[in-house]
Amino acid sequence: MTAVHGTSVDIAAPDGIADAYLVHPDDGVPHPAVLLYMDAFGLRPRLRSMADRLAGAGYTVLVPNVFYRHGRAPVVELPDFIDPAARPEIFERLGPILRSLTPDLAMRDADAYLSRLADCPAAADGPVAVTGYCMGAGLALRTAGTYPDRIAAAAGFHGAQLATESADSPHLLADRITAELYFGHADEDPALPPEQVARLDEALTAAGVRHRGEIYAGARHGFTQADTAAYDRDADERHWTALLALLDRTVGPSRA
């Protein structure tokens, strides 16, 4: 694994300063850029370690605190091990914060994050990849549809509310997407029931989007997050295999 250099950075966002984590191979050479969207628990050691792993594979990775309007991360105090069933007050505090991040605000912010990567000496020129977890999967899908000329690949894992019946559901951007997409869905996930999985696939297929969606049998919502009760090691490693394969064939160093 390549040695990496990570640091906290501040990004000039539309409504203030967004704190973020930036990490890249420690070799002084620009590398393909990846925007990593957090889950609802936010920017914390687990997400930094995931970004480090991506950087070790040859990428420059930015993980923004998308809840920056509510303060620097962590915006809600978190235990080292997160078990929402044992700590329901965590979601009680996070719920209003999550709902306050409207699609319009999130996509205004996405422009700032992508611009930060475009200006980063450690990031190679050209389109970037996006990956997201839980709520971040929806942000990844929405970013691919809002900024199609800037996104070459987008992935989402144990995504939530990706294809609802609401007028602002992210799947409705399918006809604008030019990126290749991959989704790893948790099995029997209440945040993304089978009808939404089918609706997402139908929309992407109808729009001619290169995509693949897979159900991770037995995995729960949040299966990639090792600091939570939902973690599934096998499903997490499967996610890494799928994600790195997507990045390699779309923005990876081998394409330079």
Side-chain angles (χ1 to χ4, degrees):
M1 188 68 72
T2 303
V4 303
H5 175 74
T7 186
S8 296
V9 298
D10 287 343
I11 300 170
D15 294 311
I17 299 298
D19 51 311
Y21 179 65
L22 177 69
V23 60
H24 53 82
D26 193 15
D27 58 7
V29 177
H31 291 269
V34 178
L35 174 60
L36 192 159
Y37 278 124
M38 61 187 229
D39 61 357
F41 297 127
L43 180 55
R44 61 193 192 283
R46 170 57 181 170
L47 291 188
R48 292 185 182 92
S49 70
M50 293 173 72
D52 288 349
R53 181 164 174 174
L54 274 179
Y59 298 92
T60 291
V61 187
L62 180 69
V63 191
N65 167 24
V66 304
F67 294 154
Y68 72 88
R69 292 175 180 83
H70 300 270
R72 300 180 74 85
V75 297
V76 170
E77 184 177 353
L78 297 170
D80 291 337
F81 182 78
I82 305 167
D83 183 354
R87 297 284 301 274
E89 76 278 5
I90 295 175
F91 271 127
E92 291 173 4
R93 295 171 185 166
L94 283 172
I97 295 173
L98 194 157
R99 289 189 291 273
S100 72
L101 185 64
T102 65
D104 178 65
L105 290 178
M107 290 305 97
R108 287 170 54 204
D109 293 341
D111 177 60
Y113 306 148
L114 293 171
S115 295
R116 179 67 174 80
L117 282 170
D119 294 338
C120 178
D125 294 337
V128 308
V130 188
T131 186
Y133 302 85
C134 300
M135 62 165 278
L139 295 177
L141 177 58
R142 200 177 294 280
T143 301
T146 305
Y147 300 102
D149 58 328
R150 299 161 79 175
I151 306 299
F157 297 91
H158 43 84
Q161 308 300 316
L162 298 181
T164 70
E165 295 182 338
S166 68
D168 61 359
S169 176
H171 81 287
L172 297 176
L173 295 171
D175 61 353
R176 297 189 56 191
I177 294 172
T178 58
E180 180 179 347
L181 307 186
Y182 176 87
F183 294 96
H185 304 301
D187 193 16
E188 300 181 10
D189 187 348
L192 195 76
E195 59 268 25
Q196 286 197 41
V197 173
R199 188 179 296 133
L200 174 63
D201 181 70
E202 290 165 4
L204 295 173
T205 299
V209 178
R210 293 166 297 158
H211 72 285
R212 184 176 184 182
E214 297 183 316
I215 303 295
Y216 286 34
R220 292 188 287 168
H221 183 79
F223 62 77
T224 63
Q225 301 303 306
D227 59 352
T228 75
Y231 184 62
D232 183 314
R233 183 179 300 276
D234 290 341
D236 182 31
E237 287 305 312
R238 179 179 173 185
H239 132 263
W240 281 112
T241 298
L243 176 59
L244 290 171
L246 174 69
L247 298 182
D248 183 63
R249 65 178 175 263
T250 54
V251 299
S254 64
R255 297 180 57 84

